[in-house]
Amino acid sequence: MRVALGMEVAKPFGHGRDGFILCGKSPWLNGRRGKRADNATARPGANATGNAQKIKKEMMMMKKTKFFFSLLGILLLMGIGCAEDSKSSPSGLAPESPLSVGNAKSKSLVVYFSWGGTTKRLAEMISERTGADLFRIEPAEAYPESYTPCTEVAKVELEQGIYRGLKAPLPSMENYDTIFVGTPVWWHTAAMIVQGAIKDVDFSGKTVSPFCTYAATYRDETLSKIVELTSGATHLEGYGTTSPNEDDVREWLNSLGISKNP
């Protein structure tokens, strides 16, 4: 749009002034300059020469103006093109996969959803200490970025039993023995997107350990909800925190006997 506006600005310079001057209607000939033009009969030779020189100068100015706006338009186009590229692919790489492999021989998986980033930090700490693969649950339609609108949407989902669609399905559980399932506490329980992601998964014969992050409380209720939704599994002690801490996470994993990096 800026380029289009720039080109419109160039039109009066490129066409309007040429038309005005060539038709003898230039506003520059009003007032005092107009009077001088009216007195052309007094010194016809000098006036004709002077007018020719003025017109020549004006024509040169208009050519420079046209060139300037043409160059400006090209630069704007280049700038917009770069901006579009940077939005679509900031790093020039393919979109990041929701599954990150922690260890080629890993039999553990960390499945989690994170809205503000706190649960993500905790999930990454668990993956780093256990060598587990890491899978981030992502909604097909993103949640609102602002806090209050997001809480309102989350409340509606809970009250109406709405499970938001996923951008990518969970990986097959056949390759894993131990699964960590993580969620933020939303309205006193696990986020509905997490509940929807795991409610139909067969966890029979698996070992599941729930974890969560929260702002105030309802830690136990949230961990219990994950246990309920993974009823076919054997469950290890869960973990919840308001602020992920490396030392606390290490102590918890050591107590479970599954930390690779004590």
Side-chain angles (χ1 to χ4, degrees):
M1 293 298 295
R2 293 182 178 177
V3 176
L5 290 174
M7 297 304 292
E8 290 297 330
V9 171
K11 281 185 178 180
F13 289 87
H15 301 290
R17 281 194 179 179
D18 287 348
F20 286 150
I21 292 171
L22 295 178
C23 292
K25 297 180 181 180
S26 171
W28 290 5
L29 297 181
N30 292 337
R32 295 179 61 186
R33 294 193 179 186
K35 292 179 181 179
R36 290 182 182 180
D38 291 340
N39 293 332
T41 53
R43 298 178 60 187
N47 287 341
T49 301
N51 288 338
Q53 291 177 345
K54 288 179 181 178
I55 292 173
K56 185 176 180 180
K57 289 181 179 179
E58 290 169 0
M59 292 294 289
M60 290 295 294
M61 288 295 295
M62 285 186 289
K63 288 181 179 180
K64 291 180 179 180
T65 303
K66 287 182 183 180
F67 174 77
F68 170 77
F69 279 101
S70 297
L71 181 61
L72 179 61
I74 293 172
L75 292 174
L76 287 172
L77 282 172
M78 292 175 64
I80 292 173
C82 292
E84 292 293 336
D85 290 342
S86 63
K87 282 185 178 181
S88 60
S89 180
S91 62
L93 301 177
E96 182 180 357
S97 169
L99 177 65
S100 299
V101 178
N103 186 315
K105 298 180 180 180
S106 176
K107 291 293 184 179
S108 300
L109 174 68
V110 179
V111 175
Y112 73 98
F113 165 71
S114 182
W115 176 75
T118 306
T119 310
K120 178 177 182 290
R121 293 200 303 274
L122 178 54
E124 290 173 343
M125 290 179 187
I126 297 171
S127 175
E128 182 179 353
R129 293 215 160 267
T130 62
D133 293 349
L134 194 64
F135 181 88
R136 179 170 185 169
I137 297 172
E138 297 183 86
E141 181 182 353
Y143 283 100
E145 294 183 1
S146 298
Y147 178 79
T148 300
C150 186
T151 62
E152 294 170 349
V153 170
K155 186 176 183 180
V156 171
E157 289 184 345
L158 178 62
E159 292 176 343
Q160 299 183 12
I162 298 173
Y163 300 114
R164 186 165 292 233
L166 305 183
K167 184 179 292 186
L170 269 63
S172 173
M173 299 297 160
E174 294 182 0
N175 300 323
Y176 301 102
D177 296 329
T178 303
I179 299 98
F180 296 86
V181 180
T183 178
V185 175
W186 279 9
W187 291 104
H188 320 320
T189 188
M192 288 298 285
I193 187 172
V194 175
Q195 295 189 37
I198 65 175
K199 68 183 183 66
D200 295 325
V201 175
D202 183 6
F203 288 95
S204 299
K206 308 298 180 181
T207 299
V208 171
S209 180
F211 65 95
C212 67
T213 61
Y214 51 92
T217 184
Y218 294 96
R219 167 190 179 275
D220 293 342
E221 291 82 351
T222 301
L223 297 179
S224 295
K225 188 63 179 180
I226 295 176
V227 170
E228 175 190 328
L229 293 170
T230 57
S231 58
T234 299
H235 294 94
L236 299 178
E237 180 184 358
Y239 177 79
T241 181
T242 57
S243 180
N245 177 280
E246 290 278 3
D247 292 336
D248 292 342
V249 171
R250 181 178 64 250
E251 182 179 348
W252 165 57
L253 292 175
N254 286 342
S255 71
L256 300 181
I258 55 177
S259 178
K260 303 293 184 181
N261 302 303

